[in-house]
Amino acid sequence: MTKITAAITAVGGYVPQFVMTNKMLEDLVETNDEWITTRTGIKERRVLKKEEGEGTSYLAIKAAQDLMEKKGLDASEIDLVIVATATPDSMVASTAAFVASEIGAVNAFAYDLLAACSSFLFGMSTVAGHIETGRYKKVLLIGADKMSSIIDYTDRTTCIIFGDGAGAVLFEPNTEGLGLQDEYLRADGSGRQFLGMEGGGSIMPATIESVTNKKHYIFQEGKTVFKFAVSNMADVAAKIMDRNNLTEEDVDWLVPHQANKRIIDATAKRMGVDESKVLMNIQRYGNTTSATLPLLLFDYEKQLKKGDNLVFAAFGGGFTWGSIYLKWAY
């Protein structure tokens, strides 16, 4: 029996119209363009304003529509919609269910997946499981986040980093040996004391006190998170290469989570991959959390060739991290 793998067959993306530059942030917090650029590699990020649209679902719908238009895909053919996100529209009603209905995916079931900045990476693994059963033919995975909704723009440790955006990919069965080849995914729950959001969940429901004390904004202990991210992202990417007998010449593209340019550089160095093979758009979008990986595919789609070896790597709050080896299918 021919082995079925899950291959990416289409990509779409969307970023909001409003561009927030480093210069603009100088008016909000004590920082400057040189400091931000040197430490993060970020020059600007996108922010979804209410006059353009509301919620993560708006971004996800736009990315999905872009993919469907480019692919000529009829939404009724989609079997499953997964929205990987850290900022769902609401805590109970699934953002993915709303997105599926809005794009016309009437024959799909849908659900959200939350693993902070690793959400899309973990979503790739989840999609592969669905495809490999043989029961699902077209699965839409969307990475989308409206990070501006949980950012305190008086906190310079977070407001300089995050932006809003969405990317979408279509997975379909493949029998040519292309698509997802291997994965190495990890989690360490002790990390939530260093990167997370205290308010809004079952431990700390919204109260006047929680809102007043800014408990509904994301927080991070920068030095600790940076240290964990550098070592763990590099480790799992190197492990995936070693496990699949990949040399630096075999890797055509590194697709790293866009959290910090120094983390990306460290990962590439550990892998021995030349910087010309590293996909990067952090300078334009900042860290869009669940959207970073699909937005890289969206921006670089025309440079990817059938059979190319891609190594994905991500690290997120929780902590969550991992790496995936995928062969490009078109």
Side-chain angles (χ1 to χ4, degrees), residues 2 15 40 52 69 100 103 109 119 163 192 196 246 272 274 298 313 330:
T2 306
V15 291
T40 69
E52 181 186 354
E69 185 178 338
I103 65 174
F109 73 105
S119 296
R192 73 177 182 179
L246 296 171
D274 187 78
F298 173 69
Y330 67 96

Side-chain angles (χ1 to χ4, degrees), residues 46-197:
R46 301 297 182 97
V47 174
L48 181 63
K49 296 289 190 177
K50 193 171 184 177
E51 53 266 30
E52 181 186 354
E54 291 189 280
T56 293
S57 60
Y58 174 84
L59 301 168
I61 290 164
K62 286 286 191 181
Q65 289 172 336
D66 177 66
L67 180 150
M68 292 189 298
E69 185 178 338
K70 283 159 59 180
K71 179 72 172 173
L73 176 66
D74 184 337
S76 65
E77 298 175 46
I78 299 170
D79 301 310
L80 165 62
V81 176
I82 299 176
V83 173
T85 184
T87 56
D89 283 5
S90 66
M91 291 303 294
V92 178
S94 162
T95 301
F98 179 70
V99 170
S101 295
E102 289 297 297
I103 65 174
V106 294
N107 295 312
F109 73 105
Y111 59 88
D112 295 350
L113 191 155
L114 194 159
C117 294
S118 303
S119 296
F120 186 85
L121 188 81
F122 287 13
M124 291 173 69
S125 170
T126 303
V127 169
H130 283 296
I131 292 280
E132 288 165 9
T133 65
R135 290 197 293 269
Y136 305 97
K137 306 299 183 188
K138 296 183 190 297
V139 179
L140 186 64
L141 173 63
I142 306 168
D145 270 305
K146 185 187 175 186
M147 292 304 293
S148 61
S149 65
I150 57 170
I151 294 298
D152 175 7
Y153 283 95
T154 66
D155 174 16
R156 71 173 182 174
T157 64
T158 56
C159 74
I160 65 170
I161 297 169
F162 295 96
D164 302 342
V169 299
L170 180 69
F171 277 89
E172 295 185 81
N174 184 276
T175 55
E176 300 175 84
L178 303 171
L180 200 147
Q181 305 294 307
D182 195 15
E183 61 183 50
Y184 188 75
L185 310 176
R186 289 294 179 264
D188 178 358
S190 66
R192 73 177 182 179
Q193 64 181 300
F194 305 112
L195 174 57
M197 189 172 73

Side-chain angles (χ1 to χ4, degrees), residues 219-287:
F219 70 88
Q220 73 167 359
E221 192 176 296
K223 289 182 180 178
T224 303
V225 174
F226 180 82
K227 186 174 76 172
F228 269 85
V230 166
S231 61
N232 286 315
M233 253 180 75
D235 282 350
V236 290
K239 190 172 186 71
I240 274 285
M241 287 178 66
D242 183 56
R243 208 157 74 172
N244 291 276
N245 299 312
L246 296 171
T247 67
E248 55 269 25
E249 286 80 21
D250 296 324
V251 176
D252 294 295
W253 305 102
L254 169 61
V255 190
H257 171 53
Q258 306 289 290
N260 183 301
K261 188 178 183 297
R262 290 186 293 167
I263 297 172
I264 297 168
D265 291 343
T267 302
K269 185 178 180 181
R270 173 73 182 278
M271 296 168 66
V273 173
D274 187 78
E275 63 179 357
S276 64
K277 295 181 175 183
V278 181
L279 304 191
M280 198 169 335
N281 56 18
I282 190 172
Q283 66 277 14
R284 296 200 307 278
Y285 305 143
N287 181 354

